[in-house]
Structure formats: C-alpha cells, structure tokens
Amino acid sequence: MLRQFPYIKGSVLLAAALALTAPAPVAHAADTVDATVPNGTFADPVAPDNGTQAGHADWSPDRTGVVFGKGLAQHPQGYQAASLNWNGAPLSLRTRLWGVRKGSTVTLTWDDSPSTYRSCTPEQVKDGQTYNVSLIVDGPAPDPQVTTAGSDSVGTANWTTGRAFSFTATEDNPMVSFDSAEPAGAMSCGPLITNVAAKQTPAPVDRKVRKEQLPPPKAYRGNDPLEPGVAVDDCEGSPTACTFTVDRRYSYQYYGQTRIVGEVYLNCTRNAVTDDRKLEVTEPPYDSLTQYYALKGAPLLPSRSDLSQSRPNVAAQVAAGFGVAGGNTAAVSTSNPLTWSRTTSKPLDPVIQPGEVSWIEVQPARERVVGSFTNSRNGYRLDATFDVPATALPDRYYQRTGPLTEVELQRCGASRPTADTPDNAAGPDKRLTPLDAPPAGLATRAVPLTP
C-alpha cells in the first residue's frame, strides 16, 4: 500500500496547501457532515500530565510510540498529542475514516508542533520538523513533506492549528497516514500531532444497485482487513456479541419492480364476469452476507437466502440496530420492526368486462438497510447491506384490465374442444352405447345425421 495525494502535483504545492491555517471549503455547508476519526485527540491511553504513555488506541500500529500528556504536549486546548519519533526510530500512525464511502470528498484537519521532548537539541526544533500526511492507496504515489513551525527553545511547543488535506476517497473506510520524515538519529525528538478530525461530502446513494447483487461485505480487525466470514462467525457467537448500527445516509425505502401475481383471466363471453380469487404474495429477503457465502460456493444452511434462519443471532442484531435507528432505543415493541420475509394473502373479486383480460400486479415496498457490526471486545468491524420487505411502507396492488391480444381473440372465437361421439350404427357387438330393443311390431331404421 502506498500513499496518494490527490489534486496536488509536487511537494512544494502540497506543503503550501497544508500550511493554511484554515481548510478550504470542499462543499456547501449543508452538504458537509462530520466523519469519524477514532481517538483523534489521542486521549486514549491517558498519559501522566507531564509524561508519556505507550500506545495510541484505534491507530496502527497501536503498540508503537507514545502519547504526550496534556502538560507535556502544551496544546492550547489541553489535548494530549502523539509523537512521530520514539526510541530512535521514525514512526507511522495510520487510521481509517469509518463510514466514509468511496467517492466521498473528505477534508482532514489536524494540529502540529515541534517536539516538546526535553532530550531534543535546539538544532532539531528551531526550523521545525518534517513529516508526511497521505491517503493510503494501491499503486505509485508522490511523497511530499510537511514542516511544523519552529521553536526557539527546547521543551516549548509552537502549535499550528487547522492544517488541512482534501481528497476523494478511493475506497470505503479510507486509511490516512502520518509518517515522520525526521532521520533515525533524531532519537525520540519528532513532530507532534493531535486534534485530528475530518468532514466529508458523502458520495451520492447509488439506487441502481440490484437487491440480487448487493455490494460484498467488508470486515476489519482494527484497521487491518479481515476475511468477512471470521467476523460473521464472531457475531453469531452470541445474541449480544456484536452491535449493528444503521448508516442512515445510505439506507432508504423504495418500491421494487412490478410483477404479475396469480392468474390472467380472459372474458370471452357477452357478459361481465366476477373472478373470485385468493391472492398470495411472498416477499423474500436479500443480503450481502448470504450472497457472499453463495458466491464462495459455501451457501449458508438451512437457508441459503434467509439470514434469520441460517444466522439467527446476526439477524437479531440487525433487527435490534434497525429498531434503534427508528427511534426505538430500548429495543422493545415497535410498530416498525425489521421483517425478514413476508407472505400476504388477500381475497379479490375483480369484474372482467366482455372482450377484456384482467390480471393483478404487485409493486413491493422494500427497505435497503446499510450498516456495520462492531465488537469492541476484539476490534472487529463488519460492513454489510440488507434488503428486506418494508413495514412502514405499503405494497401497491394494481388491478389491470385491457383488450385481448390477437392470439387471445382467435382463441375466444375457436370451436369448443370436445370428444368424438360414439358410432351406435355399428353392429350390436361393437356398439359403445347399448340400445334398447324397438317396440314390438314397429319397424325401425337408422339415418346418419352427417352422411
């Protein structure tokens, strides 16, 4: 994985852009929302006020480097800070921007300062310290540098606030990286960063994605990719193993494609007729998890398409998260539950006029649910998509009538199908229907109707 710097050509231009004290707006304010940066102020772990603490939760690698306590960091808002050099080595700190979708426009902001570590030398901090900030992507990428402000004395911070870096996400949950460019000889004297935040203009919802071909699930352990099946098995371990959270920006209700249900009734008579019928309509569920297993050649059992039967704990977690998203935070009774499948039966008695054909169409109400499973115990995350019958949106039933087609008209005008009449003029031993003997003394004869 390499680093990419979209829109900027050359390290000089990028450095100038990063030196701005306020990020340039990337979209109208109404279109811009916050993007999650876990532990952006490096508050976890808590360091002694004037000391350091190893590690930095939610950043990778999480067991390398240290955070500076509030007093040692000297940030104007009292934040802790992460050092990009420690124990004689330059460090890289990476994190994912969860919930950011491919195609979204993102502005990353942060604050930086030269090190306040007391073992620094005046030469190391007087002209500032260098580091890179980047978007991790596949393929080659430039590698420009950013320089902090300088400090006139060792142990004194000089914070620059509101650095900014804008890019378009090339994948879901993109990863950003801060990498020290200070030499190994700098020992533990390296740039400090904190107050990392992000805003995004979310990519538009793609409503052309078919429910039969949903986006594949994606799983992570911390910031590292994980085989989705591992996360599914983890969530299925118990009813409360994972928490499902709905992404409302990409979840929506919609009407599916209309389809004919039941029979088509043709009236070839001279009078109107009433067709008493019982209509039964079934709406099945679809989801990216069952599709993932089917495409792997290992469909789920006992149902390859109904997650509530094959992975009931996972399905229950989705239902609970759906209820919370709908305002049912206590996960108790609700008038809008998530329904995995639905079968509707209804009696109908459409009247068909002479020379017309009648049929029933249904346009199903569907619910596209996009969200993530998380397990705080082991840092697992699983992004998945579900498409189920909508409860709060009614199905549409259409009673359709129309003229007969040419073929149907020919059928209506055709002779009535029937069987041949037995030939009773044959000999008595070959007759299919026996005849009574004629009255005594009266002559009889047989005359064929169609000679």
Side-chain angles (χ1 to χ4, degrees):
M1 302 289 284
L2 297 176
R3 297 184 292 273
Q4 183 185 30
F5 300 83
Y7 312 136
I8 306 296
K9 295 183 179 179
S11 58
V12 175
L13 290 178
L14 180 64
L18 292 174
L20 296 176
T21 58
V26 296
H28 190 274
D31 300 327
T32 302
V33 296
D34 289 334
T36 300
V37 179
N39 198 23
T41 58
F42 299 99
D44 185 13
V46 177
D49 191 57
N50 285 296
T52 63
Q53 182 65 44
H56 18 64
D58 299 314
W59 291 73
S60 298
D62 59 356
R63 299 186 184 277
T64 302
V66 296
V67 294
F68 282 26
K70 296 178 180 180
L72 183 59
Q74 304 172 32
H75 189 274
Q77 292 180 268
Y79 296 139
Q80 295 191 151
S83 174
L84 295 181
N85 282 72
W86 197 248
N87 285 338
L91 303 179
S92 294
L93 291 181
R94 297 182 176 185
T95 193
R96 290 190 182 273
L97 306 181
W98 301 114
V100 174
R101 300 284 172 173
K102 180 179 179 179
S104 300
T105 302
V106 182
T107 295
L108 187 73
T109 60
W110 69 97
D111 305 339
D112 67 18
S113 169
S115 181
T116 58
Y117 194 58
R118 297 176 182 88
S119 296
C120 293
T121 65
E123 290 74 19
Q124 288 178 303
V125 297
K126 68 176 182 178
D127 295 323
Q129 296 180 301
T130 56
Y131 64 97
N132 302 318
V133 59
S134 57
L135 172 68
I136 304 300
V137 297
D138 292 322
D143 193 22
Q145 294 181 343
V146 186
T147 302
T148 71
S151 178
D152 294 332
S153 60
V154 172
T156 301
N158 188 3
W159 285 98
T160 300
T161 60
R163 300 280 198 188
F165 170 40
S166 296
F167 60 89
T168 298
T170 57
E171 62 174 338
D172 293 345
N173 307 313
M175 180 180 284
V176 293
S177 181
F178 292 85
D179 307 276
S180 175
E182 291 293 296
M187 300 301 290
S188 296
C189 185
L192 301 180
I193 60 168
T194 192
N195 196 24
V196 184
K199 290 186 178 294
Q200 65 161 322
T201 302
V205 178
D206 185 0
R207 294 177 180 262
K208 296 180 181 179
V209 176
R210 299 177 58 211
K211 59 182 181 295
E212 298 87 356
Q213 297 176 338
L214 295 172
K218 296 181 179 180
Y220 307 86
R221 182 173 186 175
N223 293 311
D224 299 325
L226 181 70
E227 207 279 323
V230 176
V232 173
D233 292 342
D234 178 68
C235 291
E236 184 62 21
S238 73
T240 58
C242 296
T243 300
F244 182 78
T245 304
V246 175
D247 188 341
R248 297 187 183 185
R249 293 166 300 180
Y250 294 96
S251 300
Y252 56 92
Q253 295 176 335
Y254 71 99
Y255 279 104
Q257 188 173 5
T258 56
R259 67 180 188 273
I260 295 177
V261 291
E263 302 83 7
V264 175
Y265 198 110
L266 291 83
N267 185 0
C268 298
T269 71
R270 298 184 180 91
N271 302 302
V273 296
T274 300
D275 175 25
D276 293 326
R277 67 171 74 179
K278 183 178 180 180
L279 197 66
E280 187 171 277
V281 179
T282 298
E283 283 301 314
Y286 299 84
D287 68 86
S288 59
L289 299 181
T290 55
Q291 293 174 9
Y292 160 78
Y293 282 102
L295 291 173
K296 282 183 60 177
L300 295 177
L301 296 174
S303 173
R304 64 180 294 150
S305 59
D306 191 338
L307 193 72
S308 64
Q309 297 182 32
S310 55
R311 293 294 184 271
N313 286 340
V314 173
Q317 292 157 15
V318 177
F322 180 80
V324 170
N328 182 23
T329 55
V332 294
S333 298
T334 175
S335 59
N336 183 32
L338 185 140
T339 302
W340 288 101
S341 62
R342 180 176 62 221
T343 298
T344 304
S345 298
K346 55 176 70 250
L348 296 174
D349 54 354
V351 177
I352 303 100
Q353 299 300 321
E356 287 193 340
V357 58
S358 175
W359 69 96
I360 305 297
E361 292 179 358
V362 63
Q363 190 173 25
R366 307 285 306 183
E367 187 110 32
R368 183 68 56 85
V369 181
V370 178
S372 303
F373 300 86
T374 53
N375 185 338
S376 58
R377 178 175 47 83
N378 53 23
Y380 283 3
R381 178 189 173 100
L382 173 65
D383 295 345
T385 305
F386 305 87
D387 196 295
V388 296
T391 303
L393 191 67
D395 293 335
R396 292 170 173 167
Y397 287 86
Y398 298 86
Q399 179 179 329
R400 301 287 304 277
T401 58
L404 302 178
T405 66
E406 190 65 32
V407 172
E408 292 166 343
L409 286 171
Q410 292 178 8
R411 181 66 256 170
C412 284
S415 300
R416 178 177 61 88
T418 186
D420 293 336
T421 302
D423 185 2
N424 285 325
D429 59 329
K430 298 179 180 179
R431 290 176 180 172
L432 300 178
T433 304
L435 299 178
D436 296 334
L442 295 178
T444 62
R445 63 174 181 161
V447 178
L449 296 178
T450 55

